[in-house]
Amino acid sequence: MKGAEQFKQLLLENTQRPLLLYGDPDVDGLISLLLMCQFCDMMGLKYNYYVNENRHHGFDISPDKLKGYMIIASDFQITEREVEAIVNQDIVLLSTDHHDCQDTFIDVKTDNAEGIVINNQYPFEPEEDRYLSGAGVFYELICSIFPDFKSKEREALVGVTLLSDIREIENKKAKQYLKTTYTRTTGRPRNEKEITHNPRKIF
């Protein structure tokens, strides 16, 4: 995905900043947040996290309250104008998303900070990857630059978000995620003969 190397460079160059992980208040957003937390744990980064109240989507915190921070946001629809307002407060923003977006890559710079938005819906991204959920975009991005993050458990979580999302999932890549989701954690597919049905009267 375009912006992957920038994401890595900006992350590693700004580890001295306080770090906030910003999650979206739905199934995809909260699983994305879990993946962000697991990634930061793997990297040994200290962080706080935030989710909007009342299931409200969008960047709700006033940027002037986060001056000097680095923010990682996932499953987060944000405009270039909003990124500018954030970066102008000396905030480094690393945002990943899968919602409809503008045609050009969002990359806003000042002398002290930068904000980028990585999104699988940009017209220059592969058509076969448009199915990805917000969690899927974050997961595949991180695996492309930090391969140790890859795991079957995380793939299974991405599969859950595909089931909760509105994107088309009738393709080979999506089916592979869903196969992992519906497979035992041992990696052995369920056998229909192992599933016993014990119907009982409940009324």
Side-chain angles (χ1 to χ4, degrees):
M1 279 176 272
K2 182 176 176 62
E5 287 303 318
Q6 280 177 272
F7 184 103
K8 182 177 181 179
Q9 182 178 353
L10 286 169
L11 175 74
L12 297 179
E13 287 178 350
N14 290 281
T15 55
Q16 78 284 358
R17 291 173 177 257
L19 174 60
L20 178 70
L21 309 181
Y22 206 141
D24 203 42
D26 57 22
V27 172
D28 188 14
L30 293 178
I31 290 179
S32 298
L33 178 59
L34 173 62
L35 295 176
M36 288 191 285
C37 291
Q38 291 179 345
F39 168 65
C40 289
D41 290 338
M42 184 186 83
M43 297 293 291
L45 299 174
K46 294 181 179 180
Y47 59 88
N48 291 306
Y49 62 83
Y50 182 82
V51 178
N52 292 337
E53 297 179 349
N54 301 319
R55 300 180 67 185
H56 186 265
H57 299 271
F59 201 99
D60 271 5
I61 306 176
S62 178
D64 60 357
K65 294 181 179 179
L66 297 170
K67 188 176 180 67
Y69 269 73
M70 174 165 61
I71 300 172
I72 303 177
S74 183
D75 188 32
F76 225 87
Q77 190 168 23
I78 192 168
T79 66
E80 186 167 24
R81 187 171 183 176
E82 289 174 310
V83 174
E84 289 174 355
I86 292 166
V87 173
N88 284 335
Q89 292 295 325
D90 186 27
I91 298 169
V92 172
L93 175 67
L94 306 175
S95 181
T96 66
D97 191 26
H98 73 127
H99 296 95
D100 293 339
C101 61
Q102 65 183 53
D103 291 343
T104 55
F105 184 70
I106 297 176
D107 182 4
V108 177
K109 299 178 183 178
T110 65
D111 290 341
N112 300 314
E114 185 171 358
I116 61 172
V117 179
I118 295 170
N119 192 322
N120 65 330
Q121 301 303 316
Y122 285 124
F124 49 78
E125 294 292 356
E127 182 70 30
E128 63 268 23
D129 291 339
R130 300 285 171 82
Y131 75 94
L132 280 169
S133 60
V137 171
F138 181 80
Y139 177 71
E140 292 204 357
L141 166 72
I142 296 303
C143 288
S144 73
I145 51 182
F146 297 98
D148 289 347
F149 192 65
K150 188 175 179 66
S151 79
K152 288 295 182 184
E153 289 75 14
R154 293 177 182 127
E155 287 179 17
L157 287 171
V158 170
V160 170
T161 65
L162 293 179
L163 293 171
S164 71
D165 200 52
I166 61 172
R167 298 290 177 193
E168 293 291 335
I169 56 174
E170 295 300 321
N171 63 71
K172 185 176 181 180
K173 289 185 175 183
K175 288 178 180 179
Q176 186 57 51
Y177 274 113
L178 294 173
K179 181 179 179 181
T180 303
T181 302
Y182 285 107
T183 299
R184 293 187 186 275
T185 54
T186 59
R188 183 166 57 91
R190 290 183 184 273
N191 185 326
E192 288 184 3
K193 294 180 180 179
E194 296 176 353
I195 303 174
T196 59
H197 298 279
N198 297 304
R200 60 190 178 89
K201 191 173 182 179
I202 58 175
F203 295 108

